[in-house]
Amino acid sequence: MRSALPGGAGQARFLSRSRPGSRAGAARTMSTAMNFGAKSFKPRPPDKGAFPLDHFGECTASKERFMECLRRSDFQSGACRELSMAYLQCRMERQLMANEPLEKLGFKDLIDEKSEAKPEKS
């Protein structure tokens, strides 16, 4: 049996896909309508974890000492914690990251060791 529409059954399928109540039409309408009520998004840098780049290479020497230590220790970061602390101190001193107490960054034990190793002045 032939279709009553000119163009045969193929055109009948095309017409059924593009009618207003179809899924394809609803998806297009929904995606456009969703953008009208959206608020503008203002990106904000994370508090920790992302630092400005060291464009002038101010802390490159500290970073290279730390990276070399990691290579020598088969990338076991525990062996290089003092160098890691020195690198972060360099970045904080030069405003390449927010100033944070080293205790909050996980170096409390290293700071305690240094203070115990120094003889007290009388």
Side-chain angles (χ1 to χ4, degrees):
M1 184 174 215
R2 290 194 167 188
S3 171
L5 293 173
Q11 188 170 357
R13 268 187 265 132
F14 174 75
L15 290 174
S16 68
R17 273 191 251 143
S18 62
R19 67 187 161 160
S22 71
R23 285 185 184 172
R28 274 193 303 267
T29 306
M30 183 181 285
S31 66
T32 342
M34 295 296 283
N35 293 334
F36 290 117
K39 294 182 180 179
S40 63
F41 175 72
K42 290 173 105 177
R44 181 177 74 79
D47 294 333
K48 293 186 178 80
F51 310 133
L53 295 176
D54 187 3
H55 290 291
F56 300 112
E58 299 172 82
C59 296
T60 300
S62 305
K63 179 188 77 171
E64 289 303 319
R65 284 192 294 272
F66 173 65
M67 294 303 294
E68 182 57 35
C69 179
L70 283 176
R71 285 185 211 101
R72 280 194 318 262
S73 67
D74 198 29
F75 295 93
Q76 298 298 315
S77 62
C80 308
R81 289 186 66 228
E82 287 184 11
L83 293 171
S84 173
M85 183 174 74
Y87 175 60
L88 292 174
Q89 281 177 316
C90 176
R91 291 190 64 91
M92 286 187 282
E93 289 167 2
R94 289 160 179 80
Q95 280 79 44
L96 293 171
M97 67 179 276
N99 274 332
E100 287 280 338
L102 291 170
E103 294 85 4
K104 278 188 161 184
L105 296 175
F107 298 109
K108 183 174 179 13
D109 58 325
L110 293 178
I111 294 168
D112 291 344
E113 288 174 14
K114 282 186 178 182
S115 64
E116 289 175 7
K118 288 184 182 177
E120 290 188 28
K121 294 180 183 176
S122 343

